[in-house]
Amino acid sequence: MSKGPGQVQRAISALIAAEPDGAWSFEQLCRLIYPPGWLPSRAQKSAVGRALKRTSLPGTWRVGSHFGDRRWWLYDECNLASVRKSYGSIDKTHFEPGGYVFEGVEKAKRFRDASPVERIDMQIEDERGHIALLKMMGALTPAAVKEVAERVKELETRKAELLAEGRAACL
């Protein structure tokens, strides 16, 4: 029987509350949560990973890695300052309007503020973009096309259900 959030989960929640523009790698979280030592142990990193998996993160906070970076980060995807910390030392133009990272943060904000139907439309657009990317990379296989087509079909079905519910609520 659960007794509520554990020590690591409470520490992570306190970090987010204390620094809303923050971003931390797993190693940084270990150094902040556990007593000072040499390097974070595998067990400590695993405990942080389990805590993050089981914790309901506030708002638009998420755990993820970025292209070319093997480290996992805790950051707020709708906060440019937080995302900037998680990307490290890439070209500053990516954080300005028109830049790759800036546009990603703006897209996350649009998704956050969108209606459920608009979110599904955005997900369908992403799936179709995935097909274009695979084609450009020369990695487009019939299995990949089938997989994406199935996800698009599921999204379109869910969209039709939401629209039907909306119409029924108006009657």
Side-chain angles (χ1 to χ4, degrees), residues 12 42 58 89 102 112 125 148 170:
I12 290 169
R42 174 182 252 169
S89 59
F102 182 89
R112 174 195 67 197
E125 182 182 324
V148 171
C170 291

Side-chain angles (χ1 to χ4, degrees), residues 124-143:
I124 290 170
E125 182 182 324
D126 285 348
E127 291 295 343
R128 291 187 176 138
H130 187 98
I131 287 285
L133 180 65
L134 289 173
K135 186 175 182 179
M136 181 181 74
M137 293 171 50
L140 188 61
T141 63

Side-chain angles (χ1 to χ4, degrees), residues 37-110:
W38 288 93
L39 290 173
S41 69
R42 174 182 252 169
Q44 290 171 334
K45 289 181 192 176
S46 295
V48 168
R50 278 192 310 275
L52 287 169
K53 186 176 181 179
R54 294 178 180 152
T55 300
S56 179
L57 296 171
T60 54
W61 282 84
R62 69 181 302 258
V63 174
S65 65
H66 303 299
F67 184 75
D69 186 3
R70 294 183 0 217
R71 291 188 298 172
W72 288 88
W73 288 84
L74 170 64
Y75 64 98
D76 182 354
E77 68 180 344
C78 290
N79 181 325
L80 188 60
S82 178
V83 173
R84 181 186 312 259
K85 290 176 186 174
S86 70
Y87 265 93
S89 59
I90 65 170
D91 189 349
K92 292 179 182 181
T93 60
H94 291 296
F95 300 103
E96 298 168 358
Y100 173 78
V101 177
F102 182 89
E103 294 305 321
V105 170
E106 292 301 309
K107 183 176 181 180
K109 289 178 185 178
R110 284 192 305 276

